[in-house]
Amino acid sequence: MCEFTDDQIATRDMTRDFVAKEIAPFAAQWDRDGATPLDTLRRLGALGLFGMTVPREWGGAEIDFVGYVLATEELAYGDAGVCNAVNATNSYCFKVRDFGTAAQKEEFLRPVASGQNIGCMLLTEPHTGSDAANIRTRAEFKGDHYVVNGAKTFITSGRSSDMAVLIAVTDAAAGKRGISAFLIRTDQPGYIVAREEVKMGHRASDTCEIILDNLKIPAANMLGEPGQGLRVALSGLESGRIAVAAQAAGIARAALDAAMAYAQEREAFGRKIFDHQAVAFSLADMAMDIEVARQMGHHAARMKQAGKRCVKESSIAKLFASQMCERVCSAAIQAHGGVGYTNDYPVEKLYRDAKVLQIYDGTNEVQKIIISRELAAEYT
């Protein structure tokens, strides 16, 4: 197994300590409330977890990508919704870091990377799903600004975010080359939170439908070049999929820990249920699955960090880890028996949190298409 650097270990341990004290004890209540206190999110930002890979000159923590993946697993162990909100903010930072001008970074990156503000990505629309190139939101140029009209859906932190990267069509006749990216503030007129989704899992983070009604954006707020929006939107796909694999490892690890604790406490037929081979073997399979998924994710993360192409590796990690997570969480419920199906124990919540990992950042069906295409190229 590859060793981690001192900085990577420090990032992991700092996050683990915060999760143990400030997130895990409250996760069940936040799940019931359907929200995470903004104060908790701000404190995560103050630790440097909003702009983990952003250079210090722009207010970030300048943590490397492997450190980001380790922190993601720890956050997901505590609560998947909180983790998703943090990952969404980091995704926002990736875009501004890579495509923003110095002026844009000062205004839109520094406040988020330093933990003062929360960021989100306005890409998905009700009819598009994984088909990002088929968006319909329009940005019409008028003098020195753009006017945007449209709707975005499944926006993580759509209500709680202060800033957003918005993807919209600027030239309908140009097809994929007619899509551009913009930087906006969510408190300006025309940004409307139409509804907040009631979700199966990840309830601690808000997921919203956003209406853009004559939203005015200064021309200077275009992120990247005109027509570069799809490139901005799809940049970092591998990073997102590796992060999902890390989320899966964290959720599954929490399920295994809960199942182990219960199996060593609960008695049946005169002995601890862990002493029954059927239960012990199931727990062994869970541990094996988690370790395999974690190593897949770490391998892809190291490739990404080294600047190597990792399209296939990131899709494999995301696909395997997300399937593994649901399987492990189901087995954890089984180990608990009937009480595992109630919310008196954490495994019920973990199972709900696991399912969406197979859907966002490209459905698992999309991952199989990507992997098969990569295989076809390799064997040609």
Side-chain angles (χ1 to χ4, degrees):
M1 183 176 68
C2 295
E3 294 294 328
F4 299 113
T5 67
D6 289 344
D7 286 346
Q8 291 164 357
I9 291 170
T11 298
R12 180 198 67 191
D13 291 350
M14 174 194 70
T15 309
R16 182 178 292 174
D17 183 63
F18 186 91
V19 165
K21 295 175 181 176
E22 305 289 342
I23 296 178
F26 312 104
Q29 186 60 52
W30 295 344
D31 180 70
R32 289 189 289 271
D33 294 344
T36 302
L38 281 177
D39 179 62
T40 300
L41 292 176
R42 304 288 186 202
R43 280 183 283 137
L44 281 166
L47 286 177
L49 296 179
F50 279 4
M52 285 191 238
T53 64
V54 174
R56 290 190 179 91
E57 65 175 304
W58 298 114
E62 207 167 317
I63 296 166
D64 65 24
F65 186 69
V66 172
Y68 170 65
V69 167
L70 296 180
T72 293
E73 180 180 331
E74 297 304 322
L75 288 167
Y77 180 92
D79 184 81
V82 173
C83 180
N84 205 19
V86 172
N87 284 151
T89 295
N90 276 274
S91 180
Y92 166 93
C93 287
F94 293 161
K95 314 298 185 190
V96 189
R97 178 199 66 191
D98 293 344
F99 294 94
T101 65
Q104 288 173 339
K105 289 176 183 178
E106 187 63 44
E107 182 177 357
F108 289 97
L109 179 58
R110 186 183 300 281
V112 178
S114 62
Q116 300 169 44
N117 289 156
I118 298 169
C120 69
M121 186 77 183
L122 298 174
L123 171 62
T124 304
E125 298 185 2
H127 60 283
T128 58
S130 296
D131 185 10
N134 195 31
I135 65 169
R136 298 174 184 169
T137 295
R138 296 289 187 266
E140 184 180 357
F141 187 58
K142 294 188 175 182
D144 61 350
H145 65 275
Y146 288 84
V147 176
V148 181
N149 287 281
K152 300 292 183 176
T153 193
F154 300 136
I155 306 304
T156 300
S157 302
R159 172 178 52 78
S160 55
S161 285
D162 305 285
M163 300 178 179
V165 172
L166 165 66
I167 307 298
V169 175
T170 48
D171 183 357
K176 294 180 180 179
R177 293 182 176 85
I179 298 173
S180 301
F182 300 90
L183 292 164
I184 67 167
R185 296 179 180 276
T186 62
D187 61 355
Q188 63 192 87
Y191 183 95
I192 302 166
V193 179
R195 60 172 286 179
E196 188 170 334
E197 304 292 346
V198 179
K199 309 188 298 292
M200 177 180 177
H202 292 237
R203 294 177 178 172
S205 68
D206 57 280
T207 303
C208 304
E209 178 181 352
I210 306 298
I211 300 298
L212 304 162
D213 182 16
N214 290 318
L215 178 75
K216 292 179 65 175
I217 305 175
N221 284 14
M222 179 177 284
L223 182 63
E225 300 298 322
Q228 204 176 24
L230 200 59
R231 180 183 169 194
V232 172
L234 301 183
S235 67
L237 278 178
E238 292 83 12
S239 300
R241 288 163 185 167
I242 296 166
V244 173
Q247 290 179 13
I251 295 168
R253 203 180 89 219
L256 174 61
D257 285 357
M260 278 294 301
Y262 187 78
Q264 291 174 318
E265 171 191 298
R266 177 80 161 89
E267 292 187 1
F269 305 104
R271 52 181 174 162
K272 307 292 186 187
I273 63 171
F274 182 78
D275 295 329
H276 293 280
Q277 190 178 74
V279 175
F281 279 14
S282 176
L283 291 162
D285 283 340
M286 293 161 67
M288 175 183 66
D289 271 354
I290 293 168
E291 190 58 31
V292 171
R294 180 188 282 122
Q295 293 303 324
M296 284 183 172
H298 291 174
H299 172 62
R302 288 189 170 94
M303 289 185 69
K304 178 70 178 178
Q305 184 167 288
K308 297 179 180 179
R309 191 174 189 275
C310 58
V311 174
K312 182 181 74 173
E313 290 79 7
S314 62
S315 287
I316 287 175
K318 192 267 189 189
L319 175 63
F320 180 85
S322 60
Q323 292 176 335
M324 171 280 299
C325 188
E326 184 181 14
R327 187 164 63 243
V328 165
C329 290
S330 178
I333 290 176
Q334 195 71 22
H336 281 71
V339 298
Y341 199 65
T342 72
N343 64 8
D344 292 334
Y345 289 80
V347 289
E348 175 267 345
K349 172 188 179 296
L350 293 169
Y351 186 81
R352 288 189 284 104
D353 287 338
K355 180 58 190 175
V356 76
L357 303 182
Q358 298 182 40
I359 298 171
Y360 61 39
D361 277 84
T363 66
N364 279 10
E365 290 76 17
V366 167
Q367 304 313 313
K368 290 179 181 180
I369 292 171
I370 293 168
I371 295 165
S372 63
R373 285 175 179 170
E374 291 293 303
L375 288 173
E378 289 176 12
Y379 282 85
T380 300

